[in-house]
Amino acid sequence: MAIAKAERLMNLALCLLGTRRPLSKRELRGSIEAYMEAGNDESFNRMFERDKDDLRELGLVIETVENLDGDTGYLARRDSNRLPAVSLDAEEAAALGLAAKVWQQARLAGAASGALQKLRAGGMPEAGDPYAGQHSAIEPRIPVHEAAFEPLMLACRDRRPVTFDYRKSNAARPEARQVEPWALECWRGHWYLAGYDRDRGAERVFRLSRITGKVRSKAAKYTAEVPDVVTVRETVASWAGEGGDRSALIRLRAGAGYPLRARATAVREGADGWDELEIPYGHGLDAWLVEFGPDVVVVEPADLRADVVDRLRAVAQG
């Protein structure tokens, strides 16, 4: 079904782009096989209107023209649907080549590679690929292992609400969430979704590794305003435990917890096999500390210690 619709949309786009005069519905129906096979006029009209709206959502500029006889015709002028020439300097081309390399092992690998080839065909300097040689000192990667990544990426792009089951770190069972997805952000090796939680009526951040089952999109409009991308990144950083306005004192087993050591503002080596660290205390720190299990003990503040203990008890009982 998806292939048949894509072929139908492509044929309609080619007809509208290839004509020098507006084409009526009758002419378009006689030119596209899928329309000719429509059972009746009503079915054809519904199919045509949906296809026309889909092409417009994809960015095709379709004009509606009424002739002297009152008939309505459609066309897509080439000058209205032609992108300006792409001109990149060496630094811009290098940045794009680097971005394509980053996605090489993720689900966007095909799209990134295809985009890079098209840019090169359009005149992008070959120097734009900083990894053209066989040997590189740096090999950037953004691994994507979560099955939820691709459907959420498409939902963010298409602005479609989604539903999924989500298990919080202190919960034994997942619960259903209805979310208007804003953006996906990779933070310290983990992927997060920022969006508007309809059930709670507020913005929320979800770690993709805690999404269970399938992500289902819904054909509906957003009810909340989508913030600027910079604000979304700040939100993810806050919920991921970054940007805290307080400090927490923890004891960390010697030789363990290197990510925590990298964030520490102060480290005091202990003689009993435990070190004391001061780290920024922001939202989500308790969930992160739980992941280090018996290698971490929270000294203060008391509310953080209590949250970590509650999460560990929930895990033990779950």
PDB file of all heavy atoms in Angstrom, residues 101-105 138-143:
ATOM      1  N   LYS A 101      29.317  11.496   8.171  1.00  0.00           N
ATOM      2  CA  LYS A 101      30.139  10.440   8.751  1.00  0.00           C
ATOM      3  C   LYS A 101      29.631  10.046  10.127  1.00  0.00           C
ATOM      4  O   LYS A 101      29.651   8.871  10.509  1.00  0.00           O
ATOM      5  CB  LYS A 101      31.587  10.932   8.849  1.00  0.00           C
ATOM      6  CG  LYS A 101      32.590   9.837   9.195  1.00  0.00           C
ATOM      7  CD  LYS A 101      32.779   8.879   8.044  1.00  0.00           C
ATOM      8  CE  LYS A 101      33.874   7.874   8.332  1.00  0.00           C
ATOM      9  NZ  LYS A 101      34.104   6.955   7.210  1.00  0.00           N
ATOM     10  N   VAL A 102      29.140  11.025  10.871  1.00  0.00           N
ATOM     11  CA  VAL A 102      28.636  10.759  12.210  1.00  0.00           C
ATOM     12  C   VAL A 102      27.491   9.759  12.185  1.00  0.00           C
ATOM     13  O   VAL A 102      27.375   8.875  13.032  1.00  0.00           O
ATOM     14  CB  VAL A 102      28.176  12.080  12.873  1.00  0.00           C
ATOM     15  CG1 VAL A 102      27.314  11.805  14.096  1.00  0.00           C
ATOM     16  CG2 VAL A 102      29.391  12.914  13.271  1.00  0.00           C
ATOM     17  N   TRP A 103      26.611   9.878  11.156  1.00  0.00           N
ATOM     18  CA  TRP A 103      25.421   9.032  11.084  1.00  0.00           C
ATOM     19  C   TRP A 103      25.685   7.709  10.363  1.00  0.00           C
ATOM     20  O   TRP A 103      24.753   6.977  10.069  1.00  0.00           O
ATOM     21  CB  TRP A 103      24.309   9.775  10.362  1.00  0.00           C
ATOM     22  CG  TRP A 103      23.723  10.868  11.192  1.00  0.00           C
ATOM     23  CD1 TRP A 103      23.892  12.208  11.022  1.00  0.00           C
ATOM     24  CD2 TRP A 103      22.873  10.726  12.334  1.00  0.00           C
ATOM     25  NE1 TRP A 103      23.208  12.907  11.985  1.00  0.00           N
ATOM     26  CE2 TRP A 103      22.577  12.021  12.803  1.00  0.00           C
ATOM     27  CE3 TRP A 103      22.352   9.621  13.006  1.00  0.00           C
ATOM     28  CZ2 TRP A 103      21.767  12.238  13.908  1.00  0.00           C
ATOM     29  CZ3 TRP A 103      21.543   9.840  14.116  1.00  0.00           C
ATOM     30  CH2 TRP A 103      21.262  11.137  14.551  1.00  0.00           C
ATOM     31  N   GLN A 104      26.927   7.375  10.103  1.00  0.00           N
ATOM     32  CA  GLN A 104      27.228   6.222   9.263  1.00  0.00           C
ATOM     33  C   GLN A 104      26.705   4.915   9.845  1.00  0.00           C
ATOM     34  O   GLN A 104      26.300   4.023   9.111  1.00  0.00           O
ATOM     35  CB  GLN A 104      28.742   6.112   9.060  1.00  0.00           C
ATOM     36  CG  GLN A 104      29.144   5.113   7.980  1.00  0.00           C
ATOM     37  CD  GLN A 104      30.644   5.131   7.750  1.00  0.00           C
ATOM     38  OE1 GLN A 104      31.427   5.119   8.687  1.00  0.00           O
ATOM     39  NE2 GLN A 104      31.046   5.183   6.511  1.00  0.00           N
ATOM     40  N   GLN A 105      26.680   4.794  11.171  1.00  0.00           N
ATOM     41  CA  GLN A 105      26.243   3.550  11.782  1.00  0.00           C
ATOM     42  C   GLN A 105      24.839   3.632  12.344  1.00  0.00           C
ATOM     43  O   GLN A 105      24.386   2.720  13.021  1.00  0.00           O
ATOM     44  CB  GLN A 105      27.214   3.152  12.897  1.00  0.00           C
ATOM     45  CG  GLN A 105      28.592   2.774  12.360  1.00  0.00           C
ATOM     46  CD  GLN A 105      29.519   2.351  13.468  1.00  0.00           C
ATOM     47  OE1 GLN A 105      29.320   2.682  14.627  1.00  0.00           O
ATOM     48  NE2 GLN A 105      30.551   1.613  13.113  1.00  0.00           N
ATOM     49  N   ILE A 138      40.279  10.812  14.017  1.00  0.00           N
ATOM     50  CA  ILE A 138      39.031  10.891  14.767  1.00  0.00           C
ATOM     51  C   ILE A 138      37.929  10.212  13.975  1.00  0.00           C
ATOM     52  O   ILE A 138      37.775  10.466  12.789  1.00  0.00           O
ATOM     53  CB  ILE A 138      38.634  12.358  15.044  1.00  0.00           C
ATOM     54  CG1 ILE A 138      39.743  13.054  15.843  1.00  0.00           C
ATOM     55  CG2 ILE A 138      37.317  12.433  15.787  1.00  0.00           C
ATOM     56  CD1 ILE A 138      39.497  14.518  16.058  1.00  0.00           C
ATOM     57  N   GLU A 139      37.162   9.361  14.621  1.00  0.00           N
ATOM     58  CA  GLU A 139      36.049   8.683  13.966  1.00  0.00           C
ATOM     59  C   GLU A 139      34.787   8.943  14.777  1.00  0.00           C
ATOM     60  O   GLU A 139      34.456   8.178  15.691  1.00  0.00           O
ATOM     61  CB  GLU A 139      36.308   7.171  13.863  1.00  0.00           C
ATOM     62  CG  GLU A 139      37.367   6.805  12.848  1.00  0.00           C
ATOM     63  CD  GLU A 139      36.884   7.014  11.423  1.00  0.00           C
ATOM     64  OE1 GLU A 139      35.670   6.914  11.197  1.00  0.00           O
ATOM     65  OE2 GLU A 139      37.704   7.274  10.541  1.00  0.00           O
ATOM     66  N   PRO A 140      34.069  10.025  14.535  1.00  0.00           N
ATOM     67  CA  PRO A 140      32.878  10.327  15.330  1.00  0.00           C
ATOM     68  C   PRO A 140      31.744   9.368  15.001  1.00  0.00           C
ATOM     69  O   PRO A 140      31.550   8.976  13.867  1.00  0.00           O
ATOM     70  CB  PRO A 140      32.523  11.757  14.897  1.00  0.00           C
ATOM     71  CG  PRO A 140      33.047  11.846  13.501  1.00  0.00           C
ATOM     72  CD  PRO A 140      34.299  11.011  13.476  1.00  0.00           C
ATOM     73  N   ARG A 141      30.958   9.005  16.014  1.00  0.00           N
ATOM     74  CA  ARG A 141      29.825   8.116  15.822  1.00  0.00           C
ATOM     75  C   ARG A 141      28.682   8.548  16.748  1.00  0.00           C
ATOM     76  O   ARG A 141      28.924   8.999  17.865  1.00  0.00           O
ATOM     77  CB  ARG A 141      30.184   6.667  16.151  1.00  0.00           C
ATOM     78  CG  ARG A 141      31.192   6.042  15.194  1.00  0.00           C
ATOM     79  CD  ARG A 141      30.563   5.769  13.816  1.00  0.00           C
ATOM     80  NE  ARG A 141      31.474   5.033  12.967  1.00  0.00           N
ATOM     81  CZ  ARG A 141      32.349   5.598  12.159  1.00  0.00           C
ATOM     82  NH1 ARG A 141      32.444   6.920  12.118  1.00  0.00           N
ATOM     83  NH2 ARG A 141      33.137   4.865  11.407  1.00  0.00           N
ATOM     84  N   ILE A 142      27.469   8.399  16.287  1.00  0.00           N
ATOM     85  CA  ILE A 142      26.301   8.534  17.148  1.00  0.00           C
ATOM     86  C   ILE A 142      25.539   7.225  17.051  1.00  0.00           C
ATOM     87  O   ILE A 142      24.747   7.028  16.128  1.00  0.00           O
ATOM     88  CB  ILE A 142      25.392   9.714  16.733  1.00  0.00           C
ATOM     89  CG1 ILE A 142      26.159  11.035  16.870  1.00  0.00           C
ATOM     90  CG2 ILE A 142      24.146   9.754  17.601  1.00  0.00           C
ATOM     91  CD1 ILE A 142      25.338  12.249  16.545  1.00  0.00           C
ATOM     92  N   PRO A 143      25.787   6.280  17.956  1.00  0.00           N
ATOM     93  CA  PRO A 143      25.105   4.991  17.869  1.00  0.00           C
ATOM     94  C   PRO A 143      23.628   5.127  18.210  1.00  0.00           C
ATOM     95  O   PRO A 143      23.255   5.884  19.101  1.00  0.00           O
ATOM     96  CB  PRO A 143      25.838   4.142  18.916  1.00  0.00           C
ATOM     97  CG  PRO A 143      26.376   5.130  19.892  1.00  0.00           C
ATOM     98  CD  PRO A 143      26.706   6.364  19.104  1.00  0.00           C
TER      99      PRO A 143
END
